[in-house]
Amino acid sequence: MGLKDKKKSKKNKELSRRNLEPVEKDIKLGPSEMRKRKGEKENNGESGKIVQISNEDNSAKAANDKKKTKKLRKGKVKKMKNHHALDDPPNTDGFDELNDDEVEDQSQFEIQGETGNAEIVLNDDDGKSKKARKKKKKDRDSLEGGKSLAKGVEAVQGEACHISSVDEDCSKEIPSISKKSQKKKWRDMDSSKSKKSLEKKEKSNQDDVYLISSEDESSPKGMKKWIMEYQQNRPGLKVLQQRIDEFIIAHEAKLEQERTEREERSAEEGWQLVQHHKGRKKSKDAESGITVGSVAQAVVESKRAKKKNTDVGLDFYRFQRKEAQRNEIMMLQSKFEQDKRRIQQIRAARKFKPY
Amino acid sequence: MDLKVEELLKEVQLEYSPALTKFVDDAVSSIKQAIDTIPEDLKVTGDEAPGFVRDIGADKVEFNFKKPKSIKIGGSYAIECLVKPEFNVDLLVQLPKECFHEKDYLNYRYHAKRCLYLCVIKKYLMSSSLVGKVEWSTLQNEVRKPVLIVYPVRKLVEVPGFFVRIIPTAPSLFSIPKLNLQRSNGGIPQATPKYNSSILEDMFIEDTEELVKQTFLGSKELREGLILLKVWARCRKPIYAYDCLNGFLISLILAYLVDRNHINKSMKAMQIFRVTMKFMATSDLWKHGLYFTPKGQKAIPKEKRLPYKESFPIVICTPSRSLNLAFRITRVGFLELQNESALTLACIEKCRDSGFEEVFMTRIDYPVKYDHVIRLNLKGKSSVYASGFCLDDECWRLYEQKVHNVLSQGLSDRVKTVRVTWKSMLSESILQNGLSTLSTEPLLIGISVSSLDKAFRIVDIGPDAENKEEALKFRKFWGDKAELRRFKDGKIAESTVWETEQWKRHIVIKRISEYVLLQHLFLSKENIMHIVDQLDFSLLYGAEDPISSSGGLLAAFEILSKRLRLIEDIPLKVSTVQALDSAFRFSSVFPPEPHPLANEKGSFVRLNWFPPSCIRPLEVMIQLEGSGNWPMDDVAIEKTKSAFLLKIGESLQNSWGMTCTATEDDVDVFVSGYAFRLKIWHERGLTLLRRETGNEQVKKVSNVDKELYFRSQHSSMINGLQSCHPAYGPVVRLAKRWAASHLFSACLVEEAIELLVAYIFLKPLPFNAPCSRITGFLRFLRLLSDYDWTFSALVVDINNDLTPNDQKEIIENFMSSRKGYEENPQNVNSAMFLTTAYDKASEAWTRFSPNSVELKRLMAYAGSSANLLTKLILQDHSDSYRWECLFRTPLNNYDAVILLHRDKLPYPQGLLFPSELHQGVHVARGNASKGFHPFLLPGDFKGSSEDLRNKVLVNFDPLRCFVGDLEKEYSNTFKLWYDSLGGDAVGITWGGCSSKKRGREEADEEVKDPINLLKDVGKVGAGFVRGIYLLKAPRRS
């Protein structure tokens, strides 16, 4: 878990907390925060996306912020390192990654620029309040840091993991979503708009809803497991070839062993297995006692058919004919009965109403 | 068949019980009473229905009311031929002579007075306490001849919705020669045959009623025949219409056949039916005209027949020879009737059970019969009645004719039939305010396409440029669209060009019809609703139909199969290569798009968009040269196959530089943007299996080779069919999309859907094979919902391959699968028994699913979807939301619902509508995983192209993994419903699929704590599941 994650997680925590506890938030937040929220609301109105996406906007903002407040951030990072290093393995690459991340973010913005006016407008909005926010943020960050320290590490720990994953995904999502919006895939934006308010309400009591914890190192489940399995199943042609060869060798050995065992067993019982090898290749299946081999099925069948022809015809004897006749009548009768039954069934299902 | 017909007759015939007759008599006498209260010599003026009188253009309409001369029951009730569910009694009210003048046949005076007379009756009926509701209606859609519909207050349970129709008659009111066909009476200089017939009809109603009565009351068989014919006709909306057939005309035709001894006394009802059908379909007498010849009279001389023939396409003349009773039948209507009768005869001949289902039980309406349906909204369109409401014919009929002419000329040989009908609805306010408000119902046009090749044609070549006169006409008709073009053969001719992309060819007809309607009728575009492409949204991938990239796919496959056959460095050579995936036969909903990374090694362009990270492989079957060295047991065979495939992959990689990835079971190769999954079919595996089942009677779960055999057979069969019917592909795709979007992916496999749709094309009776996607789709839905799955097998026989022996075998197989039905209707193997030439026991596709519970659900969904679609086509819904509803599934029909993260679906563009849920208990929520993303990200592009290529996941589908994991663990606890094409919701219903034998209780016991169970379910899909909602807890026993 990189440092940047934590940083984001922090910010995100605030966001999510805002979503979770709207009432509390109103009391707690400063004026700039209020403004930010307002902006966000506008965004929501404009883009008409589901809340999830509005979250992304925030993360985009976050990225934006990050760019502008690099210096500020370094300080922040240090501060955070203090209390987060406790529960996470130290990450020395923190800063490098941060830079990398920035590059990525920038490229994302380029994409975003392409996507449409709505989002550009968003960013402009950001720009206006950026200065003010920068200041406030500093204050808030320090405040928050202190607060969370006071609250104890557990709370952070509990949520950090889940939120960080969200955040990273969000930032990754941007291109895909924007692309989608480009292609106008989300057809029923209108409906989702109306649902949004509902959803928000729902979010407020999402605290009660059980959260599926995804990360269990010993036995990964879900997406992680599937991807792992996918990768494991593809070790490369050579390895596979080898495995199959091994299997076949083992298999043949096993068959050989079974055969010898069988022979031994029959030998024990006092029987001598006599094998006859002449002409074409034959093999014997002990279970069924049927010759299995390259004898064409068709040949056997045609032979059998030929044999049948020499048999006495089915209607040779008088009793046979009589029997056949009787059988036929019986068949007809049973068929008639069956038809009658069927009619009843259909009638029960009222299948005769042509309307 | 006979048994069924008997049952049908029993079902539809109305029993004339004492209670019923008393009820009817009471209703009639209450009406009589009400009429009796009307004071004699009441002054009636045009103010009763000012709008009506004004608009039909009548003058001098005042009269003094006199009581009707007689009131008697007529119509089908009188001849005991009432057919359920229509319960109505015709009451013939004879208009008194005193109310009319001798010359009232002129200038619509008769029609006006007739209407005013009814107005008075209505007024007094309304004040009667025994009469519930009185409404206006028309006689055979003729607005100038209204009738009254009276609902009595008292109701009888046996006859719901009973009403009495009051029809005025006017025997010998006017002099018949004055109403001769050549005379003009309607206020215009030309002859007015329709107007005259309209008055004459009223004058002769009672006589013809009498004739019909005499014919039918004597013979039970004849009455039954009539009932059958009525049932038949009523199923067929396009011919059971005012300009074609009605109950009265059917009885007349029957009476004529009796008169002509075509039908004799010894015939049974079904024979009568068939004789009549044959007569309608083929008889030459229609050209001659049907003339009743009363005893002692000579046949009608030619000179007397001539005027009828000139005025009307179809003639059914009364015995008095002064009126053509079929004066409303149009040429198109009659052609349709002949067509329909011919199809019915074909049904009787060719279909199972003499076509009972097809003939009597199948509803044939516009949406299902015609390939294209156009609705014209002509509300408030004044040009309809610009030259007067009623001339000889009514303006609405004339407008129909005009629309028909314009469309037939515009569409020329692209279409077989253009059927135009326009229903008129009469109401009190129309009588008051005038007829201009009448046209509230849309005008309906049905179009049958002659052949798709013609329908898809892009250039229509008109007359030669030399031919000035014709060219001018052409230009006049087409306006700006006409172009002078030089063709390849050097000809210079007028022409019209309808340039369209390949995948939009089905819209050509729509474009033409819209153009000509705009051009000639000055309609605005939003008033023309042409139903043809409304469902296309479900097949688009992005903004385009992905089917357009199929050409590239086939080319890629050609390359692959060529290279496969060239391989030298494996022990056995590749002998045949066959494509198995539905994308190769144009029936895949989303045939894959070429992937930029799935090509041969080497060049790799920087992309300005993000390619998807998943790629769907297409299965390709390979057959190797025969060899005796194959191992004998299943496992070893499969391993050997894998070894072969690996060798093949390696060889391809070495000699062509193709990319190849493999697991132990599958080998995938990339060719020009597509991934192909190679499979080897080992023929002997099949015989091995056969022997096994033959000897040990073990029902083995399908063996790999057997499955491959089925798939290859199926593939070539559908391929053949697809090339004969170009409409097949789109219909299948819609059907698949429908099934998937209602979460039936698990129940109904793709191949089963393909077979069902194939059935529609192979056995189209009582229709012709569909030529448009929506019609085909509707028929698929109706087949699914109406077919008698429990008692019949569905046989798809593409080239008539099946011999009688095969058919016997199929029936036996079917019977054995239905053995268990008697004890337990749930316990049926292959609830949907689907057989083909390659699979006579329904083993291939529907052996295990759908089971009877799933099938029930499927049928219910199909039924309601079919009804919705029909409604959408016929009624005024032009908003796209309603059309989308066909593919939106209600999530409240499940016991619990799992919502997935949309952006973790492998093919996010396959998702039609994002699902949300606002009911039930929100049990769990989850966050999206970061390990997977459906698109390659900019970060992924940093590595080498080799790394990048490894990031493309072949056949990775989290939904499939998720469902697989769940089924492994919980298959006894609940059943999953999902959409494999990219839906983001999974439905859960309690009670497992395999638990039904063990009884429900046990299954229920397992689900003690549904909430915790669902939480565990969420854990299985961690990183993929967005939320889980519990709607219904399992029932406690």
Side-chain angles (χ1 to χ4, degrees):
Chain A
M1 188 157 296
L3 267 174
K4 69 156 185 199
D5 283 352
K6 257 167 274 151
K7 204 156 17 76
K8 274 189 201 161
S9 83
K10 194 143 178 309
K11 216 174 294 163
N12 226 62
K13 194 173 70 189
E14 284 162 27
L15 292 177
S16 63
R17 197 173 286 160
R18 252 191 298 153
N19 280 333
L20 297 179
E21 308 153 335
V23 190
E24 230 178 304
K25 177 180 56 189
D26 281 351
I27 308 161
K28 241 193 327 200
L29 298 177
S32 80
E33 190 68 357
M34 290 289 266
R35 200 190 319 166
K36 198 176 162 193
R37 238 182 97 228
K38 225 176 171 179
E40 191 191 318
K41 257 188 192 165
E42 271 169 33
N43 295 348
N44 286 345
E46 273 165 24
S47 61
K49 279 180 193 162
I50 21 170
V51 169
Q52 204 187 0
I53 298 168
S54 81
N55 255 338
E56 279 153 27
D57 289 345
N58 282 327
S59 73
K61 268 186 218 163
N64 209 352
D65 279 343
K66 205 175 1 178
K67 212 166 35 175
K68 302 282 174 187
T69 61
K70 216 190 223 167
K71 268 188 188 170
L72 202 118
R73 207 169 264 196
K74 275 184 184 167
K76 221 163 53 189
V77 170
K78 262 181 204 160
K79 207 182 281 172
M80 304 228 315
K81 214 174 177 177
N82 289 337
H83 64 264
H84 279 298
L86 288 172
D87 43 81
D88 281 295
N91 193 340
T92 44
D93 301 337
F95 287 98
D96 293 350
E97 225 179 274
L98 190 78
N99 288 336
D100 268 354
D101 202 39
E102 245 172 61
V103 175
E104 206 178 304
D105 279 338
Q106 254 164 349
S107 67
Q108 276 163 19
F109 268 105
E110 277 160 29
I111 301 148
Q112 244 183 330
E114 285 165 24
T115 61
N117 299 332
E119 262 141 317
I120 292 170
V121 174
L122 295 185
N123 293 337
D124 285 351
D125 276 358
D126 281 353
K128 276 176 208 162
S129 58
K130 221 170 273 160
K131 261 193 181 175
R133 227 186 298 152
K134 224 191 281 177
K135 245 187 205 166
K136 290 277 171 185
K137 202 168 219 169
K138 203 173 161 187
D139 301 342
R140 202 176 65 228
D141 274 328
S142 57
L143 251 174
E144 273 285 333
K147 213 190 282 172
S148 55
L149 251 178
K151 267 191 182 171
V153 191
E154 298 147 22
V156 183
Q157 215 174 0
E159 249 168 277
C161 136
H162 130 59
I163 288 158
S164 65
S165 73
V166 166
D167 199 85
E168 190 168 293
D169 276 327
C170 284
S171 64
K172 275 189 185 173
E173 255 160 43
I174 293 167
S176 79
I177 297 274
S178 59
K179 212 172 144 201
K180 273 178 228 155
S181 72
Q182 214 173 2
K183 295 209 172 181
K184 288 184 181 157
K185 191 65 199 175
W186 304 106
R187 265 167 253 262
D188 43 358
M189 277 180 179
D190 291 328
S191 62
S192 67
K193 206 189 265 182
S194 63
K195 281 174 192 164
K196 205 166 50 189
S197 59
L198 262 171
E199 208 165 299
K200 264 196 176 163
K201 234 180 264 167
E202 215 170 84
K203 276 253 162 100
S204 67
N205 54 22
Q206 243 184 28
D207 277 341
D208 316 334
V209 178
Y210 169 77
L211 177 76
I212 301 159
S213 64
S214 48
E215 321 302 325
D216 183 358
E217 289 307 322
S218 56
S219 61
K221 275 187 168 172
M223 208 58 131
K224 227 178 184 177
K225 176 190 156 205
W226 304 326
I227 290 191
M228 213 171 68
E229 279 175 356
Y230 177 86
Q231 301 293 5
Q232 274 171 1
N233 277 336
R234 275 155 223 270
L237 298 186
K238 289 271 175 315
V239 182
L240 284 173
Q241 188 81 57
Q242 209 178 336
R243 274 192 214 164
I244 288 173
D245 288 347
E246 278 164 16
F247 172 85
I248 287 186
I249 290 165
H251 189 73
E252 271 169 6
K254 206 178 90 192
L255 282 185
E256 185 63 26
Q257 200 191 338
E258 267 174 24
R259 205 173 57 85
T260 49
E261 266 176 24
R262 223 165 31 222
E263 274 171 24
E264 274 168 23
R265 217 183 311 131
S266 49
E268 266 171 34
E269 283 164 16
W271 295 96
Q272 177 70 43
L273 189 79
V274 182
Q275 271 180 334
H276 170 68
H277 285 293
K278 194 186 160 194
R280 59 185 190 280
K281 189 187 158 202
K282 276 181 188 171
S283 69
K284 248 182 181 197
D285 195 346
E287 265 85 47
S288 58
I290 282 179
T291 329
V292 181
S294 51
V295 189
Q297 186 80 2
V299 175
V300 177
E301 254 156 35
S302 69
K303 257 189 193 162
R304 211 176 286 158
K306 259 184 213 157
K307 231 183 238 168
K308 213 177 249 172
N309 288 343
T310 59
D311 279 348
V312 179
L314 271 174
D315 53 351
F316 186 76
Y317 295 108
R318 180 191 279 263
F319 81 89
Q320 277 179 328
R321 259 174 292 168
K322 266 189 182 168
E323 216 160 61
Q325 239 167 9
R326 204 166 26 206
N327 276 345
E328 203 173 327
I329 288 171
M330 293 271 273
M331 276 272 284
L332 279 176
Q333 253 171 3
S334 75
K335 197 160 178 263
F336 178 72
E337 287 295 318
Q338 228 165 28
D339 280 354
K340 243 167 65 179
R341 236 192 347 245
R342 232 198 94 171
I343 289 285
Q344 265 164 4
Q345 282 162 347
I346 297 173
R347 197 180 301 163
R350 300 189 77 72
K351 271 277 181 183
F352 288 113
K353 270 198 179 169
Y355 43 86
Chain B
M1 174 77 174
D2 287 345
L3 251 156
K4 283 187 178 176
V5 170
E6 232 168 76
E7 287 299 321
L8 172 76
L9 283 171
K10 256 186 232 161
E11 186 66 49
V12 296
Q13 249 170 339
L14 196 65
E15 199 194 335
Y16 282 65
S17 62
L20 177 77
T21 33
K22 189 174 173 294
F23 172 72
V24 172
D25 289 345
D26 283 354
V28 170
S29 69
S30 69
I31 292 173
K32 275 186 184 160
Q33 271 169 24
I35 294 177
D36 271 337
T37 59
I38 306 174
E40 202 77 352
D41 288 329
L42 178 80
K43 195 128 185 78
V44 185
T45 63
D47 295 341
E48 300 285 345
F52 181 83
V53 173
R54 181 191 70 226
D55 282 343
I56 66 169
D59 49 355
K60 296 192 221 158
V61 293
E62 296 79 22
F63 65 94
N64 290 335
F65 187 86
K66 294 271 192 272
K67 291 223 164 57
K69 248 174 144 177
S70 73
I71 298 176
K72 58 183 173 189
I73 293 175
S76 42
Y77 179 80
I79 54 170
E80 300 181 14
C81 286
L82 220 51
V83 178
K84 284 182 196 171
E86 252 172 35
F87 303 107
N88 58 58
V89 170
D90 286 353
L91 203 60
L92 303 177
V93 175
Q94 196 175 341
L95 300 174
K97 221 169 177 168
E98 294 81 35
C99 297
F100 294 87
H101 295 294
E102 200 184 334
K103 293 221 159 190
D104 274 355
Y105 59 84
L106 284 173
N107 298 341
Y108 286 98
R109 277 179 222 159
Y110 167 73
H111 290 99
K113 283 188 175 177
R114 180 183 180 280
C115 173
L116 293 175
Y117 196 89
L118 285 178
C119 284
V120 175
I121 291 181
K122 184 180 181 220
K123 215 195 270 172
Y124 282 87
L125 280 178
M126 300 278 266
S127 59
S128 163
S129 59
L130 293 170
V131 173
K133 198 166 59 169
V134 187
E135 281 173 358
W136 288 102
S137 177
T138 54
L139 192 69
Q140 293 302 316
N141 210 35
E142 193 174 339
V143 179
R144 54 191 173 191
K145 284 170 80 171
V147 295
L148 281 177
I149 299 229
V150 183
Y151 295 91
V153 171
R154 244 190 76 211
K155 300 270 186 281
L156 197 67
V157 200
E158 291 98 89
V159 284
F162 173 86
F163 63 84
V164 178
R165 226 160 43 133
I166 297 183
I167 303 172
T169 64
S172 58
L173 205 59
F174 306 112
S175 140
I176 294 164
K178 299 271 187 210
L179 290 164
N180 191 310
L181 293 179
Q182 283 101 343
R183 287 184 66 102
S184 162
N185 296 317
I188 49 168
Q190 301 89 351
T192 54
K194 292 238 163 117
Y195 173 86
N196 295 356
S197 300
S198 161
I199 297 178
L200 282 170
E201 187 187 35
D202 279 6
M203 293 169 62
F204 283 99
I205 277 187
E206 292 195 15
D207 285 358
T208 35
E209 283 279 345
E210 200 54 41
L211 169 89
V212 168
K213 220 176 195 169
Q214 273 170 13
T215 319
F216 284 92
L217 277 182
S219 158
K220 180 168 168 273
E221 267 70 42
L222 209 52
R223 283 203 301 271
E224 287 181 348
L226 176 61
I227 288 174
L228 287 182
L229 280 165
K230 277 190 179 178
V231 170
W232 170 81
R234 219 169 38 199
C235 291
R236 288 156 173 75
K237 276 277 146 53
I239 59 163
Y240 199 67
Y242 56 91
D243 64 345
C244 192
L245 215 55
N246 58 47
F248 180 62
L249 284 180
I250 297 175
S251 55
L252 268 177
I253 293 170
L254 265 184
Y256 175 80
L257 290 176
V258 173
D259 189 57
R260 279 300 158 100
N261 286 325
H262 284 294
I263 292 174
N264 57 41
K265 292 251 185 295
S266 62
M267 281 182 171
K268 288 261 175 291
M270 201 50 211
Q271 276 171 307
I272 294 173
F273 178 80
R274 203 189 289 209
V275 167
T276 318
M277 254 335 115
K278 198 151 189 200
F279 177 75
M280 290 197 290
T282 56
S283 177
D284 281 338
L285 277 169
W286 291 104
K287 281 185 203 141
H288 172 91
L290 313 187
Y291 297 91
F292 284 91
T293 324
K295 281 201 183 82
Q297 273 193 40
K298 277 186 192 159
I300 187 163
K302 201 172 182 188
E303 53 273 24
K304 267 194 134 177
R305 287 203 318 255
L306 211 61
Y308 287 113
K309 275 211 68 175
E310 280 169 358
S311 312
F312 306 108
I314 299 302
V315 182
I316 303 176
C317 209
T318 52
S320 63
R321 293 166 182 182
S322 39
L323 164 66
N324 173 20
L325 287 161
F327 68 96
R328 287 193 191 89
I329 297 185
T330 56
R331 194 171 301 279
V332 186
F334 182 69
L335 283 179
E336 209 61 348
L337 171 63
Q338 280 198 312
N339 201 348
E340 205 59 67
S341 336
L343 279 172
T344 305
L345 286 174
C347 285
I348 296 178
E349 215 169 281
K350 286 182 190 151
C351 292
R352 208 166 42 97
D353 259 351
S354 311
F356 178 81
E357 291 281 325
E358 288 82 359
V359 175
F360 296 113
M361 310 292 279
T362 314
R363 191 157 45 110
I364 300 178
D365 44 19
Y366 271 71
V368 78
K369 170 154 178 85
Y370 294 108
D371 297 318
H372 295 245
V373 174
I374 309 176
R375 267 190 343 240
L376 297 185
N377 179 13
L378 298 166
K379 235 178 257 180
K381 178 101 182 139
S382 57
S383 68
V384 174
Y385 46 84
S387 50
F389 287 97
C390 302
L391 302 164
D392 173 30
D393 211 344
E394 295 175 304
C395 62
W396 304 280
R397 304 292 88 74
L398 294 174
Y399 201 76
E400 278 170 10
Q401 196 59 43
K402 200 169 160 191
V403 171
H404 178 261
N405 291 344
V406 163
L407 280 177
S408 334
Q409 194 180 342
L411 296 170
S412 62
D413 66 336
R414 289 171 202 266
V415 295
K416 252 191 317 210
T417 19
V418 177
R419 182 105 169 87
V420 186
T421 50
W422 195 3
K423 241 195 159 139
S424 313
M425 300 292 255
L426 205 57
S427 70
E428 181 70 43
S429 73
I430 290 170
L431 292 185
Q432 295 297 331
N433 304 327
L435 301 175
S436 56
T437 49
L438 186 75
S439 46
T440 47
E441 284 271 307
L443 181 136
L444 215 55
I445 307 168
I447 296 174
S448 284
V449 172
S450 56
S451 83
L452 276 186
D453 293 339
K454 285 181 186 157
F456 288 0
R457 192 179 52 211
I458 282 182
V459 181
D460 275 342
I461 303 174
D464 210 84
E466 302 286 292
N467 190 345
K468 286 268 156 44
E469 204 178 309
E470 288 290 313
L472 197 71
K473 252 194 215 163
F474 189 84
R475 284 214 161 258
K476 202 175 159 209
F477 183 79
W478 288 107
D480 302 338
K481 199 73 195 169
E483 295 172 37
L484 203 57
R485 281 197 161 219
R486 192 193 154 90
F487 291 92
K488 271 184 193 149
D489 55 355
K491 199 168 90 172
I492 299 175
E494 295 283 345
S495 60
T496 49
V497 181
W498 310 93
E499 198 65 61
T500 350
E501 284 163 77
Q502 186 66 37
W503 64 272
K504 274 187 180 164
R505 286 285 174 87
H506 58 290
I507 306 183
V508 169
I509 284 196
K510 175 180 176 163
R511 283 182 53 196
I512 298 177
S513 62
E514 268 180 6
Y515 179 81
V516 293
L517 288 174
L518 292 179
Q519 176 85 6
H520 293 276
L521 300 175
F522 312 106
L523 295 167
S524 60
K525 214 164 189 169
E526 59 267 24
N527 285 332
I528 305 173
M529 179 76 179
H530 193 132
I531 285 118
V532 56
D533 56 349
Q534 274 74 5
L535 291 177
D536 288 0
F537 70 89
S538 65
L539 301 179
L540 299 187
Y541 199 79
E544 215 178 74
D545 194 325
I547 206 80
S548 43
S549 65
S550 290
L553 171 63
L554 292 182
F557 173 69
E558 276 308 309
I559 295 175
L560 176 72
S561 62
K562 210 173 176 184
R563 288 180 183 175
L564 281 173
R565 266 179 292 217
L566 282 178
I567 292 177
E568 295 286 353
D569 48 356
I570 47 172
L572 298 173
K573 277 190 80 173
V574 173
S575 64
T576 53
V577 182
Q578 196 194 355
L580 293 184
D581 195 274
S582 56
F584 293 107
R585 41 184 194 262
F586 304 101
S587 56
S588 167
V589 179
F590 294 125
E593 309 252 273
H595 195 284
L597 298 178
N599 49 12
E600 287 80 5
K601 262 184 199 146
S603 68
F604 159 60
V605 253
R606 180 107 189 127
L607 299 157
N608 51 359
W609 53 286
F610 298 101
S613 59
C614 293
I615 181 164
R616 192 166 67 84
L618 306 165
E619 281 195 5
V620 168
M621 191 183 88
I622 294 174
Q623 230 180 318
L624 298 173
E625 287 174 330
S627 158
N629 289 330
W630 281 87
M632 282 307 150
D633 59 319
D634 263 359
V635 196
I637 287 182
E638 286 313 309
K639 288 288 174 192
T640 317
K641 281 185 187 173
S642 302
F644 262 111
L645 286 176
L646 286 174
K647 275 265 185 297
I648 290 174
E650 220 170 310
S651 164
L652 288 174
Q653 220 162 16
N654 294 338
S655 45
W656 303 96
M658 294 158 88
T659 315
C660 172
T661 78
T663 69
E664 283 195 42
D665 308 311
D666 312 295
V667 174
D668 302 307
V669 199
F670 291 161
V671 185
S672 31
Y674 300 97
F676 294 98
R677 172 155 292 185
L678 305 179
K679 294 272 175 197
I680 291 180
W681 181 47
H682 178 45
E683 206 177 342
R684 221 171 45 205
L686 198 67
T687 50
L688 223 74
L689 184 86
R690 262 192 214 142
R691 189 130 11 100
E692 224 165 283
T693 50
N695 282 344
E696 297 166 34
Q697 296 292 320
V698 198
K699 275 188 189 161
K700 234 185 127 189
V701 187
S702 64
N703 160 290
V704 183
D705 280 313
K706 192 168 185 186
E707 211 184 302
L708 274 176
Y709 168 74
F710 282 145
R711 296 190 55 187
S712 81
Q713 291 286 312
H714 178 83
S715 178
S716 47
M717 182 185 126
I718 296 295
N719 228 334
L721 178 74
Q722 189 275 131
S723 55
C724 305
H725 297 279
Y728 176 80
V731 175
V732 169
R733 294 174 63 212
L734 279 177
K736 284 182 181 173
R737 186 58 151 162
W738 176 84
S741 66
H742 288 287
L743 311 185
F744 286 120
S745 286
C747 322
L748 201 56
V749 293
E750 267 192 282
E751 284 85 355
I753 298 178
E754 280 169 13
L755 286 181
L756 288 173
V757 177
Y759 182 81
I760 287 166
F761 282 83
L762 292 169
K763 290 243 167 85
L765 288 172
F767 314 102
N768 296 314
C771 282
S772 83
R773 47 187 71 183
I774 290 190
T775 311
F777 177 54
L778 178 61
R779 288 193 204 165
F780 161 78
L781 289 178
R782 291 216 183 143
L783 172 73
L784 195 55
S785 78
D786 295 344
Y787 197 80
D788 183 16
W789 295 109
T790 354
F791 296 113
S792 2
L794 190 92
V795 185
V796 182
D797 184 8
I798 179 160
N799 302 320
N800 291 326
D801 293 332
L802 296 174
T803 59
N805 262 344
D806 290 335
Q807 263 151 16
K808 212 173 128 199
E809 195 188 330
I810 287 175
I811 290 174
E812 271 163 22
N813 287 334
F814 176 69
M815 282 311 182
S816 73
S817 81
R818 290 294 182 269
K819 239 184 237 157
Y821 181 81
E822 293 291 291
E823 304 104 56
N824 177 11
Q826 303 277 311
N827 181 20
V828 181
N829 288 332
S830 352
M832 182 185 262
F833 200 89
L834 212 56
T835 63
T836 49
Y838 63 80
D839 169 30
K840 297 192 189 78
S842 184
E843 284 172 322
W845 317 117
T846 53
R847 186 188 180 90
F848 300 108
S849 67
N851 62 32
S852 48
V853 182
E854 290 165 349
L855 184 62
K856 229 186 220 163
R857 201 178 177 110
L858 255 174
M859 287 167 74
Y861 273 63
S864 63
S865 285
N867 287 342
L868 175 63
L869 182 55
T870 313
K871 236 198 217 152
L872 283 170
I873 295 174
L874 286 180
Q875 289 167 15
D876 239 344
H877 296 297
S878 41
D879 56 337
S880 56
Y881 178 78
R882 294 292 304 265
W883 285 91
E884 284 170 10
C885 282
L886 279 174
F887 293 99
R888 276 177 202 274
T889 198
L891 288 175
N892 50 10
N893 287 347
Y894 301 93
D895 294 339
V897 174
I898 307 171
L899 296 184
L900 307 173
H901 281 289
R902 269 163 231 150
D903 49 314
K904 297 298 153 204
L905 295 170
Y907 310 103
Q909 295 192 328
L911 174 66
L912 264 181
F913 312 109
S915 331
E916 289 299 337
L917 208 68
H918 303 291
Q919 59 192 118
V921 188
H922 193 168
V923 175
R925 71 199 161 94
N927 296 311
S929 138
K930 50 196 161 176
F932 169 75
H933 200 275
F935 294 96
L936 291 176
L937 300 170
D940 295 332
F941 284 87
K942 267 178 239 148
S944 70
S945 70
E946 195 55 35
D947 285 348
L948 188 55
R949 203 165 271 134
N950 282 337
K951 287 210 171 99
V952 179
L953 305 177
V954 182
N955 204 26
F956 178 69
D957 184 354
L959 177 65
R960 204 186 44 229
C961 298
F962 182 41
V963 169
D965 281 359
L966 284 181
E967 267 167 5
K968 236 182 276 161
E969 218 166 315
Y970 300 105
S971 70
N972 289 334
T973 323
F974 52 70
K975 160 142 194 51
L976 291 168
W977 307 80
Y978 58 89
D979 173 2
S980 61
L981 287 175
D984 61 347
V986 176
I988 287 180
T989 50
W990 303 118
C993 24
S994 58
S995 67
K996 86 189 154 212
K997 272 178 200 160
R998 284 181 281 148
R1000 276 200 161 270
E1001 295 93 58
E1002 198 178 334
D1004 282 351
E1005 264 172 52
E1006 286 172 40
V1007 195
K1008 278 205 178 97
D1009 184 1
I1011 302 230
N1012 273 334
L1013 180 89
L1014 289 178
K1015 281 179 187 169
D1016 290 343
V1017 167
K1019 273 184 202 153
V1020 173
F1024 189 46
V1025 172
R1026 176 155 54 104
I1028 301 183
Y1029 296 79
L1030 176 66
L1031 304 182
K1032 256 177 270 161
R1035 270 183 299 161
R1036 309 265 159 175
S1037 46

